[in-house]
Amino acid sequence: MDRLEHQLQQRRQQHRLRQLRPVQQRQPGRLLREDRDLLDFSANDYLGLSQHPRLREAAIKALQQWGTGSAASRLLSGTLALHRDLEEAVAAFKHKPAALVFNSGYQANVGLLSGLCDKGDIVLADRLSHASLLDGLVLSGARWHRFRHNDMGHLETLLKRHGAQWVITESVFSMDGDLAPLNDLVTLAKRHGARILVDEAHATGIFGNDGAGRVSELGLSDQVDLVMGTFSKALGSFGAYVACDAMLRDLLINLSRSFIYSTSLPPAVIAANQAALEVVHDEPQRRTRLLQLAADLRAALQQRHCEVVGESQIVPWVLGEDEAVVRVSGQLEERGLCVPAIRPPTVSPGQARLRISLSAAHSGTDLRTLLDAIDEVTHV
Ligand SMILES: *Cc1c(COP(=O)(O)O)cnc(C)c1O
């Protein structure tokens, strides 16, 4: 057997084979797959905006006016007035002087780091940083070290030992649902003269009075150099942005290859993103409700002695073994619930978990259905 086939077989044996399973229909909190209706606890559409009438109407209007494609990359003629307006809105939302839209969060992180860091630089990143951040570091050629997750003592040790040009973290961690100690991280990084990048993919739209994320909630907007986030999660659409000062924005336009060498996002997507920012402003009850649901679910799972971690709309239930999470995820699916099994390499070996992802569209009854099913599968 050759190496490629062997890799597949090995994954299969380790219960780590990843497979694609098409969804036939979806609404916030619900999906239809393999002709079965499932309550959906797998999506990142945290505020249920993907079907919001204002996003749909904005997208349809832009589609009718501009057509389907943007026709060029940003530096040719692909920067539309819609892109400019969206970037101004993002900068205001994030309390930063400027912003730049990227085609996806993955492309943003790869482009930011490969564009701004080079061989001579040292970068310190939280151990649980998203794959796109790590891929950007690899591409940059910079030397980098990972500090233990949220461990500011370890970050300080590494800063003293190696120095750093950049310190990188997420504000809400995607697979652990916990929050970075941003105040301490910013103090440490500044003391050692490092710039800071915070990925707010899972915080934007949810945290802070205005939904602008954790950096702004903690009053750190002036101190975090790059505040990155996506339109693809709580904002219910697609694409990403970085909010920063004008100098860093100019640098990115000139150096970020994932920005330069890709066709810009289509008008309908940009218009939906603009509408999403407006809905986040106008409908704060969505984020309040989401965080209340998450607190209720965490409390109920803790009562059942389940090992739950985090403090956000992402509620991970850590079971440990790969085989156990695959089994329980399957049993929940038989009971009409989609709760994905997260296994290595996405999390460390022995840390396999069910990632319960909540939406403002879930009802109290949906939560009870989930808890009843969990009771059934844990008492057999
Ligand atoms: C999802 C995610 C990304 C990538 O964003 P996409 O728009 O889906 O490409 C980047 N960083 C983090 C932390 C994420 O969770």
Side-chain angles (χ1 to χ4, degrees), residues 26-29 43-51 232-237 357-361:
R26 122 173 290 155
Q27 280 176 8
N44 298 322
D45 185 14
Y46 302 121
L47 299 177
L49 297 197
S50 68
Q51 301 267 10
S232 54
K233 289 167 181 160
L235 300 185
S237 177
S357 182
L358 292 175
S359 164

Side-chain angles (χ1 to χ4, degrees), residues 115 146 164 173 216 225 249 347:
R146 291 198 281 180
F173 284 86
S216 147
D225 301 87
R249 181 176 188 270
V347 294

Side-chain angles (χ1 to χ4, degrees), residues 98-118:
L100 191 64
V101 167
F102 282 78
N103 286 1
S104 73
Y106 185 90
Q107 287 189 46
N109 282 338
V110 166
L112 291 176
L113 292 166
S114 61
L116 298 179
C117 304
D118 68 21

Side-chain angles (χ1 to χ4, degrees), residues 44 103-107 109 130 132-133 170 172 174 199 201-202 228 230-233 238-240:
N44 298 322
N103 286 1
S104 73
Y106 185 90
Q107 287 189 46
N109 282 338
H130 193 261
S132 55
L133 293 164
E170 294 175 25
V172 174
S174 53
D199 180 333
H202 297 277
M228 174 273 172
T230 70
F231 294 103
S232 54
K233 289 167 181 160
F238 192 67

